[in-house]
Amino acid sequence: MARLEVLKTYKIFIGGKFPRTESGRYYSPRDKKGNLLANVCLCSRKDLRESVVAARSAFGGWSTRSAFNRSQILYRIAEMMEGRRTQFIDELIKQGATASAAKKEVDLAVDRLVYYSGWCDKFQQVFSSVNPVNSSHFNFSVPEPTGVVGLLADEKTSLAGLVSGIAALVAGGNTVIALASESKPLCAVTFSEVIATSDVPGGVINILTGSKKELLEHFGSHMDINAVVYQGNSNEELSQLRSLASNNVKRISSYDKDWMDTAQQDPYFIMDAQEIKTTWHPIENIGSEGSGY
Amino acid sequence: MAGKEKKESGLWEYSPAPESASIGKIAPKYGLFIDGKFIAPAKGRYFPSINPATEAKLSMIAEADAADVDKAVKAARKAFGSWSRLSASERGKYLYRIARMIQERAREFAVIETLDGGKPIRESRDIDIPLAAAHFFYYAGWADKLEYAFPNRKPKPIGVAGQIIPWNFPLLMAAWKIAPALAAGNTVVLKPAETTSLTALKLAELFSDCGLPPGVVNIVTGAGATGAALVNHKGIDKIAFTGSTDVGKIIQKAIAGTTKKSTLELGGKAANIIFEDATIDQAVEGIVNGIYFNQGHVCCAGSRLFVQESIHEEVVRKLKHRIKSLRVGDPMDKNTDVGAINSKAQLETIQKYVRLGKEEGAEIFQPSCNLPDKGFWCPPTLFTNVSQSHTIAREEIFGPVLAIQTFRTEAEVIAKANNTPFGLSAGVWTDKGSKIFNLTSKLRAGVVWANTYNKFDPVSPFGGYKESGFGREGGLHGILPYVQF
Amino acid sequence: MTQRKISGIPATSPRIDQVGVEERCARFTSRSIKSTTKMQGLHMVLSMIDLTTLEGADTEGKIRQMCYKASHPHESIKGLPATAAVCVYPTMVGVAKKALQGTGVNVASVSTAFPSGQGPTEVKLADTKLALDFGADEIDMVISRGRFLQGEEQFVYDEIAMIKELCGKKARLKVILETGELGTLDRVRRASDIAIAAGADFIKTSTGKISPAATMPVTLVMLEAIRDHYFSTGEMVGMKPAGGISSAKSALHYLVMVKETLGEEWLNKDWFRFGASRLANDVIMQIAKQTTGNYQSGDYFSKD
């Protein structure tokens, strides 16, 4: 007798926990043949609000954590993901990918995590400066994370865009609320299960599923989101987002990229969600040539 | 010193030491600087620019409308081709030439800046003008070295930059905007603030003297409508704006549906934090420099003072003593420390906040000063007994008004300092190194001054977090807003 | 002037940031002193000078010539004030006293194994007693810098207090910190606080034998110590920068510093002095220039 498969309930990921949406709503993405993929949470603006609260409270700890430690945690995500390769491949195939494309996407996502893991304690060195001011002061500029960042993940890929976006943001010390691909949300939920077992502090990465059309407005207008990364090419969506962003001078980055391209990774993606801080301090100048304090 | 809040009776008062105004040659009327020539505005409208210290008219300034702005953008577009193709080292040499010529004419620029804007001649002479020249000099050298600024990238100019600058540092802000734009190969349409157009127009004359090709920099004068025409012009590739957060938000919204790039340098409400282990006397100087520099018309002014409770009394006493020695009055007097408020409108804003401060129960102190009868004046003002929820502790006043609060612990003051939508700058005073680094890394602000305040340098990136804007001006990081890859 | 109150050594002294001090000093020098302010200032400077000779080669004749200069700075300009004092070695106090009789010019004597201060306390006391016996109106003592740098603050304090006791009501005590040997502004401030606590009527920068002597930054730090003492006790202490101030222009900037740091109550010879030998002539030349409108030559002013 064939064994009855145990189906997974696809949840969302907020503050390190796996609730269903507070709204009780769901939607039912289907594969090409019309089979039900899952009853996925149709998140509400309240779910977004809860995520922002979680991301904000996680920000202090995550941004001040040592870069080396962040690097190890990102690498740990890659390790955990590697172990779940077949599950991700199965989900990608369910969502319409060929077997080879699915394998390629999972491999790429794991490698991308490793890539950004390596940047955690290096991009600051590349993009910082010591500035030789014309006075007796020591002056240096360093990148610091922008804060709580929204990510409207790539619609075309289930995993590649989402992971590329999240990895660059958290490598830089930001905390993230990601909205998964609406039509291919399964991998995003499974990815959150990977995160939950990878030493990532609760609230650093939050993953929602649902309607971009519905939630984009709230990502744009939420006063406690400091920046939004938009992966897509709809001018209408982008211009709505930018317009709403002016409420709190939100930073908007938009990328219309093929995230399956191995070349779409570099530290400039990290830098797009960084602020430059410049610090001054006097230099006492006693005892050297010409000084007569 | 013994006299309580009473103006000391001048045993040895400084005699007036006025700078000569005649060195500042101001024409009775200025047109728009478009395509290398001064031309009359299409509608023929002019508005007066006055000296805020005397209310006397200095000159008539052209008011540019949308048609004039269009002309300027087209001139910039036309010039972009040859300017961006010019060899980078030659571009740099133009900037070097501009820097040197500003230095040669520094005193003239300083005098006009002070007459037009009301800031003390000491500041325009020692700070604004030398820094403006230094900015051109610094970015001149970047022109042919840009590929070293961006690892693994080939920077290209963006195109035509529309730039809108404020009235608090007129020439300096023009330099901050124009120098990196030109160094990277862009062309510019610049709109100065309507109350302080003169030094930008003098700079236009200087550009002609330098042989800068026509159209590379165009200057359109006017008020908000002129700025709006520039922001909304389809031929602009980039907007760089320095000014209020309110207007910054309007601009961000206005260009939302376009591909225009932008950098915004907006308002601030900086925390200046004094710990009990600080070098108190130098901290007091830092407080004074933080809030009374340029009449407090400084976006990064240290307008929220946090003093550790154990030294509150000492700091306030020293601060009051110190501000009694500040000389308020004729900006052209070389001994003036605090000049005229830039405009009547700004004075009214400041007075509104001073009134609010009193109404909300804070305790005011102003030294007695003999203020001139004409012109716009506000004595250096401080409020004690302020709490975080007072309006004067939350909103940007943009005047010489300090709100003083106390704190007990590091954790408390970090939380209070960051409890604002702004994030432009902050100050920290303590003699303990490890505490400095704790504070400087936790304060959410783009510029943090530790044991100093209000220092500026062309090599030092400047710009905000949160609602204080985005993008940096100055230094290596100040090039990024003017290139694309 | 009332007798200074003595207190114990303060537990700590404020820390000083050198760069901030220099920035503040730059602001003093950017003050533009013109017309009546300048003339008034120059007269004030002249009246605050301790005309000084402290040479191994000092002779009675040299002292008498300098005393005449002190009481009659320049005969051809009317209304010039005499200098505040002359400053000499203890052995010359008698000569100077006699030469200055009835002029109102004080005689100050250096003491306590000047300039190094490297002598036994008994010698220092005897040295001071001698100067007082000769009739010195003011005693300019040096602190034991070696002991101070060794951390023996109590020793330094006690020495000052003993000398102060000896001076009693007879003479005002100026305490020379020799800031050029202290190394940091933090130590300048600490030494100032100790000297003030031990009863100094004046604190003084330098002997003139060590470079750097008086500078604006050290003077500012000392003025701040005086101001803080005044804030906490209401008691005034005087200040004397000495050595290295030779131009009238720079002396005027010192007055600006005193005015803006302490207040105008300090702008007289009771509370502020310049220790200088060459400054007087430059001040007189500037006064002559202000009066005649012509720039002056040193050939027309006596170099005593």
Side-chain angles (χ1 to χ4, degrees):
Chain A
M1 198 173 97
R3 178 179 172 273
L4 183 66
E5 188 187 359
V6 179
L7 290 177
K8 176 162 115 182
T9 301
Y10 280 82
K11 296 187 171 185
I12 53 177
F13 188 52
I14 300 176
K17 296 197 168 63
F18 291 94
R20 292 282 293 181
T21 166
E22 64 77 35
S23 66
R25 303 180 308 170
Y26 69 97
Y27 72 110
S28 308
R30 288 172 191 274
D31 67 13
K32 279 177 191 158
K33 293 181 193 140
N35 300 320
L36 176 71
L37 287 174
N39 289 319
V40 176
C41 293
L42 184 63
C43 285
S44 66
R45 59 183 292 193
K46 280 190 185 162
D47 294 318
L48 174 63
R49 185 194 65 191
E50 292 307 311
S51 308
V52 173
V53 170
R56 176 59 66 195
S57 71
F59 176 66
W62 184 245
S63 59
T64 54
R65 191 171 276 259
S66 82
F68 172 58
N69 188 236
R70 281 207 304 268
S71 177
Q72 286 188 308
I73 291 175
L74 254 78
Y75 190 81
R76 181 74 178 156
I77 305 176
E79 286 176 352
M80 292 294 102
M81 202 168 169
E82 182 83 23
R84 291 232 210 176
R85 284 178 86 250
T86 48
Q87 187 181 356
F88 281 109
I89 290 170
D90 286 352
E91 280 175 347
L92 284 167
I93 292 170
K94 250 197 211 172
Q95 290 173 127
T98 62
S100 71
K103 180 178 172 298
K104 185 186 167 207
E105 185 166 353
V106 177
D107 290 350
L108 177 133
V110 173
D111 291 352
R112 197 146 279 173
L113 284 161
V114 172
Y115 175 81
Y116 281 108
S117 159
W119 271 119
C120 287
D121 53 5
K122 297 172 189 70
F123 75 94
Q124 301 89 335
Q125 294 179 301
V126 175
F127 294 96
S128 289
S129 61
V130 169
N131 312 308
V133 293
N134 182 28
S135 60
S136 192
H137 294 88
F138 187 72
N139 178 300
F140 61 98
S141 297
V142 293
E144 285 189 349
T146 296
V148 172
V149 184
L151 169 66
L152 300 173
D154 182 31
E155 188 55 41
K156 295 192 287 287
T157 57
S158 184
L159 197 56
L162 179 85
V163 170
S164 302
I166 288 177
L169 289 170
V170 299
N174 296 286
T175 57
V176 183
I177 303 111
L179 179 63
S181 164
E182 189 172 342
S183 55
K184 300 173 181 169
L186 301 190
C187 292
V189 177
T190 305
F191 184 58
S192 67
E193 291 154 17
V194 167
I195 294 163
T197 52
S198 304
D199 306 327
V200 179
V204 171
I205 301 170
N206 305 275
I207 298 180
L208 305 180
T209 52
S211 156
K212 191 183 291 175
K213 195 172 167 36
E214 178 190 344
L215 288 177
L216 180 133
E217 175 193 346
H218 305 300
F219 272 91
S221 61
H222 197 300
M223 295 298 276
D224 207 26
I225 294 178
N226 300 108
V228 175
V229 173
Y230 174 79
Q231 297 178 336
N233 61 3
S234 155
N235 285 336
E236 195 190 328
E237 285 175 351
L238 190 53
S239 107
Q240 188 194 2
L241 195 59
R242 284 196 171 134
S243 176
L244 291 164
S246 65
N247 279 324
N248 67 337
V249 195
K250 208 176 261 107
R251 288 85 168 118
I252 304 293
S253 307
S254 74
Y255 311 117
D256 181 13
K257 304 279 187 197
D258 173 11
W259 299 104
M260 292 290 283
D261 180 350
T262 49
Q264 289 307 333
Q265 53 182 23
D266 64 51
Y268 291 91
F269 286 118
I270 301 176
M271 288 305 293
D272 282 348
Q274 297 288 310
E275 311 286 317
I276 296 296
K277 175 184 279 182
T278 300
T279 304
W280 294 68
H281 196 280
I283 301 173
E284 202 169 61
N285 184 20
I286 291 177
S288 63
E289 197 184 348
S291 112
Y293 70 93
Chain B
M1 180 147 80
K4 279 189 201 114
E5 276 85 77
K6 196 172 104 274
K7 182 78 182 160
E8 282 163 27
S9 60
L11 263 165
W12 191 54
E13 282 298 324
Y14 305 136
S15 303
E19 178 60 77
S20 161
S22 62
I23 190 170
K25 296 174 202 76
I26 302 173
K29 191 160 111 175
Y30 283 94
L32 307 166
F33 185 70
I34 294 174
D35 209 11
K37 292 181 293 288
F38 278 99
I39 61 165
K43 292 230 171 66
R45 278 208 292 262
Y46 292 82
F47 61 93
S49 192
I50 67 158
N51 178 343
T54 61
E55 300 177 54
K57 191 178 85 183
L58 292 168
S59 183
M60 293 299 287
I61 309 292
E63 185 185 318
D65 67 2
D68 298 310
V69 168
D70 182 55
K71 219 180 282 174
V73 173
K74 284 187 174 131
R77 176 62 59 195
K78 192 175 71 173
F80 176 65
S82 50
W83 179 250
S84 58
R85 282 192 305 271
L86 190 65
S87 90
S89 60
E90 292 302 298
R91 268 199 330 258
K93 280 159 68 183
Y94 276 111
L95 293 178
Y96 279 122
R97 195 186 269 195
I98 292 165
R100 295 304 261 176
M101 212 175 275
I102 293 173
Q103 288 174 324
E104 287 164 15
R105 294 170 60 177
R107 193 56 61 89
E108 179 188 3
F109 273 101
V111 164
I112 295 174
E113 199 73 300
T114 286
L115 290 172
D116 200 23
K119 67 172 61 203
I121 186 75
R122 187 191 66 77
E123 290 178 8
S124 51
R125 180 196 65 203
D126 297 348
I127 297 166
D128 291 62
I129 311 302
L131 270 181
H135 231 84
F136 278 105
F137 200 89
Y138 173 73
Y139 280 108
W142 266 122
D144 57 358
K145 303 169 189 69
L146 296 173
E147 57 269 39
Y148 295 96
F150 305 102
N152 214 25
R153 286 286 186 278
K154 290 245 174 302
K156 295 192 300 272
I158 296 172
V160 177
Q163 305 180 325
I164 300 174
I165 57 171
W167 44 260
N168 56 344
F169 297 92
L171 186 74
L172 183 57
M173 289 300 108
W176 278 29
K177 294 274 183 290
I178 295 171
L182 298 195
N186 304 280
T187 56
V188 163
V189 179
L190 175 99
K191 189 198 88 68
E194 68 269 26
T195 59
T196 55
S197 309
L198 286 175
T199 45
L201 295 162
K202 297 298 283 188
L203 186 63
E205 291 176 5
L206 186 146
F207 288 152
S208 295
D209 292 346
C210 287
L212 189 71
V216 170
V217 178
N218 305 276
I219 294 176
V220 290
T221 44
T226 310
L230 185 56
V231 167
N232 294 316
H233 196 288
K234 290 198 165 43
I236 294 283
D237 302 303
K238 188 220 157 59
I239 290 289
F241 170 77
T242 298
S244 72
T245 293
D246 287 347
V247 175
K249 288 177 176 180
I250 293 169
I251 291 174
Q252 196 182 8
K253 202 178 179 96
I255 62 172
T258 73
T259 55
K260 290 174 193 171
K261 294 175 183 303
S262 62
T263 42
L264 304 173
E265 203 272 87
L266 310 177
K269 190 77 187 173
N272 196 5
I273 302 165
I274 320 290
F275 284 96
E276 60 191 1
D277 56 5
T279 59
I280 304 284
D281 286 309
Q282 286 77 61
V284 168
E285 284 309 310
I287 298 166
V288 169
N289 200 33
I291 186 65
Y292 304 122
F293 170 58
N294 199 31
Q295 296 73 248
H297 301 329
V298 186
C299 46
C300 52
S303 52
R304 286 188 297 151
L305 179 65
F306 289 96
V307 183
Q308 200 154 21
E309 213 166 302
S310 55
I311 53 162
H312 176 253
E313 204 178 318
E314 180 188 2
V315 168
V316 169
R317 178 168 188 181
K318 286 187 166 176
L319 192 55
K320 286 179 177 176
H321 173 62
R322 175 67 178 95
I323 67 178
K324 280 186 236 166
S325 69
L326 291 175
R327 298 169 54 83
V328 187
D330 182 8
M332 289 290 276
D333 190 321
K334 294 173 200 162
N335 289 327
T336 291
D337 298 307
V338 179
I341 300 301
N342 184 265
S343 65
K344 189 158 188 270
Q346 186 57 29
L347 180 61
E348 284 163 1
T349 303
I350 296 167
Q351 286 167 341
K352 178 193 84 182
Y353 280 110
V354 169
R355 210 164 45 239
L356 268 173
K358 288 193 257 189
E359 282 168 14
E360 292 179 4
E363 200 174 304
I364 189 172
F365 174 84
Q366 291 175 318
S368 86
C369 318
N370 303 319
L371 299 177
D373 298 332
K374 285 210 135 189
F376 316 125
W377 308 96
C378 178
T381 302
L382 62 84
F383 280 101
T384 49
N385 276 335
V386 178
S387 59
Q388 191 76 345
S389 56
H390 281 147
T391 312
I392 54 167
R394 299 208 65 81
E395 293 179 16
E396 184 176 39
I397 299 174
F398 226 62
V401 182
L402 179 67
I404 306 178
Q405 303 178 59
T406 59
F407 69 95
R408 295 156 300 170
T409 66
E410 252 168 281
E412 177 188 2
V413 79
I414 291 168
K416 280 181 166 171
N418 286 336
N419 175 218
T420 166
F422 296 112
L424 189 51
S425 60
V428 184
W429 298 81
T430 163
D431 210 34
K432 186 170 176 181
S434 56
K435 199 190 286 180
I436 286 174
F437 284 113
N438 181 36
L439 268 286
T440 57
S441 59
K442 296 219 172 85
L443 293 169
R444 302 287 293 159
V447 183
V448 182
W449 286 289
N451 291 328
T452 186
Y453 207 94
N454 267 348
K455 290 276 177 286
F456 309 94
D457 197 283
V459 310
S460 176
F462 184 95
Y465 284 30
K466 302 197 279 186
E467 290 200 13
S468 290
F470 46 75
R472 292 294 175 267
E473 296 184 296
L476 180 155
H477 300 88
I479 303 167
L480 183 62
Y482 290 100
V483 295
Q484 55 182 338
F485 305 123
Chain C
M1 263 145 302
T2 53
Q3 199 62 15
R4 285 277 336 271
K5 290 193 239 5
I6 316 294
S7 54
I9 303 179
T12 59
S13 288
R15 311 289 293 171
I16 310 295
D17 178 61
Q18 182 215 4
V19 176
V21 168
E22 283 168 356
E23 282 172 7
R24 180 73 183 113
C25 290
R27 288 292 293 272
F28 297 130
T29 59
S30 77
R31 289 289 191 213
S32 177
I33 303 301
K34 301 275 181 225
S35 59
T36 44
T37 314
K38 184 171 184 181
M39 201 58 167
Q40 209 187 336
L42 290 169
H43 279 81
M44 215 158 18
V45 171
L46 192 56
S47 75
M48 291 167 167
I49 290 175
D50 285 359
L51 204 58
T52 302
T53 183
L54 294 166
E55 304 290 333
D58 283 348
T59 58
E60 296 189 0
K62 161 77 184 172
I63 300 298
R64 276 194 291 271
Q65 285 169 18
M66 188 180 74
C67 288
Y68 190 80
K69 173 88 174 180
S71 51
H72 306 78
H74 194 67
E75 296 285 18
S76 65
I77 302 177
K78 295 284 164 263
L80 285 186
T83 69
V86 296
C87 184
V88 297
Y89 272 115
T91 47
M92 294 297 173
V93 170
V95 184
K97 257 328 247 195
K98 198 164 156 214
L100 288 169
Q101 208 157 28
T103 61
V105 177
N106 280 353
V107 176
S109 172
V110 297
S111 81
T112 66
F114 182 94
S116 72
Q118 295 283 20
T121 304
E122 307 82 70
V123 171
K124 294 181 182 180
L125 290 167
D127 195 18
T128 308
K129 185 164 184 308
L130 181 80
L132 291 168
D133 288 348
F134 280 131
D137 305 294
E138 301 170 3
I139 294 294
D140 289 27
M141 72 170 285
V142 293
I143 65 165
S144 295
R145 283 89 74 191
R147 296 293 194 114
F148 177 72
L149 294 171
Q150 268 168 229
E152 296 173 45
E153 294 184 342
Q154 191 64 45
F155 179 89
V156 174
Y157 172 91
D158 289 343
E159 254 190 11
I160 300 169
M162 277 187 268
I163 302 289
K164 172 68 183 172
E165 198 180 353
L166 207 56
C167 290
K169 286 182 180 161
K170 279 187 284 204
R172 290 180 86 200
L173 177 63
K174 308 197 195 92
V175 178
I176 302 171
L177 309 180
E178 195 64 306
T179 53
E181 289 185 338
L182 299 186
T184 65
L185 293 176
D186 290 316
R187 290 214 195 92
V188 170
R189 173 64 197 236
R190 184 64 182 158
S192 302
D193 288 349
I194 291 170
I196 290 170
D201 295 299
F202 269 80
I203 49 176
K204 175 176 168 183
T205 59
S206 323
T207 61
K209 304 294 183 194
I210 291 289
S211 183
T215 64
M216 291 192 78
V218 295
T219 306
L220 177 59
V221 168
M222 291 167 74
L223 291 173
E224 285 167 351
I226 291 171
R227 185 209 45 206
D228 288 352
H229 181 74
Y230 178 78
F231 275 172
S232 60
T233 64
E235 189 181 52
M236 289 169 76
V237 172
M239 173 70 204
K240 178 178 171 183
I245 306 164
S246 55
S247 79
K249 188 176 180 187
S250 121
L252 289 173
H253 288 145
Y254 275 78
L255 295 190
V256 167
M257 176 158 58
V258 174
K259 172 184 160 76
E260 296 194 10
T261 309
L262 294 174
E264 292 177 342
E265 295 93 319
W266 266 263
L267 282 181
N268 58 63
K269 66 178 178 182
D270 288 340
W271 300 109
F272 194 74
R273 297 281 178 88
F274 291 100
S277 49
R278 285 167 299 154
L279 175 61
N281 262 12
D282 195 53
V283 170
I284 297 163
M285 280 165 70
Q286 291 302 318
I287 291 174
K289 189 253 150 185
Q290 290 292 104
T291 322
T292 64
N294 301 325
Y295 291 108
Q296 300 296 308
S297 155
D299 288 352
Y300 299 84
F301 299 87
S302 67
K303 291 204 164 110
D304 284 322

